[in-house]
Amino acid sequence: MDIFNRPPTIAEDTVIYTIYPPPDTDKAKATALSALITTYVQDSLLPANHIWHRDSFELHLVERDDTSSPRVVTPGQLRLEGTMRVGDAVDDECVYDTDGEFLLIEAAQHLPNWVTPDNSENRVWIYQSNLHLIPLEHISPPSASSKNSRRKLPRHEDADTERDAPDEADFITIEHAVRLIRDPDIDTKASENIQAAIRRRTRGYPETLKQHVHRSRAHLPADIVLALSQNPALIQKAVEAFYTRDALQLR
């Protein structure tokens, strides 16, 4: 095991999300789409003055393979990507996180028997507002299933052991999976039981976020009050520092 050549560490309790625009999308259109999605999330979707538990929503354009990116795709393929540390706020999570495919956990009781954590990579997608699950009958050729094509799953910062190597025989590349999802002649839409389980989990959002707010009186220096009045989201940094302090910092 080479402990000096590991992929970049991603903090525990991090959620990763990737959007794949249509194949004919150029850089200008992808950049505009990123801006539109970000504006919608910040100005329309979320309650006013919403404060994320840790990191706020963000998207950035990825044009080529990047060693810091959790996903590896064909060079030149445009995609929008973002990562967020959610901490203990599981309601900030979606798509997949440090524990794998997050949405599958919500529908675990209704999944087909063949689904396992090792073979679900690149098989779980959201397309046209529905969850899609690509069956194992669809696999990529061995030549495409190289080590560099595998998702670089987040690691705990103190982890000293490598994850078990997944079975390459069941692997499907992102490019292959995206083509299948978009092919109207191939049925990849998950069962209605799975769709219903996920809808139950997300029902009520984003309005439900208003219930997850803690209020407390505090005496603060005037300069801190001024800073918070200008940018209320700064309170998150103070709360995180207080919440994650250790015994040494308390001395």
Side-chain angles (χ1 to χ4, degrees), residues 21 29 38 54 86 97 106 130 138 148 173 189 193 198:
K29 291 180 180 179
T38 302
R54 283 202 173 173
V86 298
D97 68 353
E106 301 300 333
N130 289 296
H138 300 285
N148 291 332
T173 64
K189 184 178 176 181
N193 286 338
I198 294 173

Side-chain angles (χ1 to χ4, degrees), residues 180-219:
L180 291 174
I181 293 298
R182 290 173 171 160
D183 189 335
D185 295 326
I186 299 178
D187 184 15
T188 58
K189 184 178 176 181
S191 70
E192 185 54 37
N193 286 338
I194 294 177
Q195 309 288 351
I198 294 173
R199 285 196 295 267
R200 284 194 297 271
R201 180 63 175 85
T202 58
R203 185 179 298 134
Y205 288 90
E207 286 299 314
T208 304
L209 292 174
K210 296 178 181 178
Q211 303 174 11
H212 301 177
V213 178
H214 174 74
R215 292 178 173 84
S216 178
R217 293 178 180 270
H219 296 280

Side-chain angles (χ1 to χ4, degrees), residues 99-131:
D99 294 321
E101 300 289 354
F102 180 79
L103 290 177
L104 292 188
I105 298 174
E106 301 300 333
Q109 295 182 343
H110 305 289
L111 293 176
N113 293 331
W114 61 264
V115 178
T116 70
D118 288 337
N119 65 24
S120 62
E121 181 178 348
N122 300 339
R123 295 186 180 277
V124 184
W125 297 83
I126 298 175
Y127 180 61
Q128 295 184 339
S129 301
N130 289 296
L131 187 82

Side-chain angles (χ1 to χ4, degrees), residues 17-21 33 37 57 59 78-82 182:
Y17 41 92
T18 308
I19 299 174
Y20 296 89
L33 176 61
I37 293 174
F57 176 84
L59 274 179
L78 290 172
R79 65 192 187 278
L80 305 178
E81 196 169 90
R182 290 173 171 160

Side-chain angles (χ1 to χ4, degrees), residues 17-121:
Y17 41 92
T18 308
I19 299 174
Y20 296 89
D24 59 349
T25 303
D26 58 24
K27 183 176 179 179
K29 291 180 180 179
T31 301
L33 176 61
S34 176
L36 286 172
I37 293 174
T38 302
T39 299
Y40 172 70
V41 170
Q42 294 175 346
D43 298 343
S44 301
L45 180 64
L46 297 174
N49 301 317
H50 177 70
I51 298 176
W52 294 92
H53 184 66
R54 283 202 173 173
D55 295 340
S56 60
F57 176 84
E58 55 89 16
L59 274 179
H60 61 271
L61 180 66
V62 180
E63 298 183 73
R64 52 183 171 77
D65 290 351
D66 186 339
T67 57
S68 64
S69 172
R71 297 249 189 193
V72 178
V73 296
T74 300
Q77 180 179 347
L78 290 172
R79 65 192 187 278
L80 305 178
E81 196 169 90
T83 61
M84 291 171 53
R85 295 176 308 131
V86 298
D88 296 329
V90 295
D91 293 304
D92 285 352
E93 281 186 292
C94 62
V95 192
Y96 76 92
D97 68 353
T98 52
D99 294 321
E101 300 289 354
F102 180 79
L103 290 177
L104 292 188
I105 298 174
E106 301 300 333
Q109 295 182 343
H110 305 289
L111 293 176
N113 293 331
W114 61 264
V115 178
T116 70
D118 288 337
N119 65 24
S120 62
E121 181 178 348

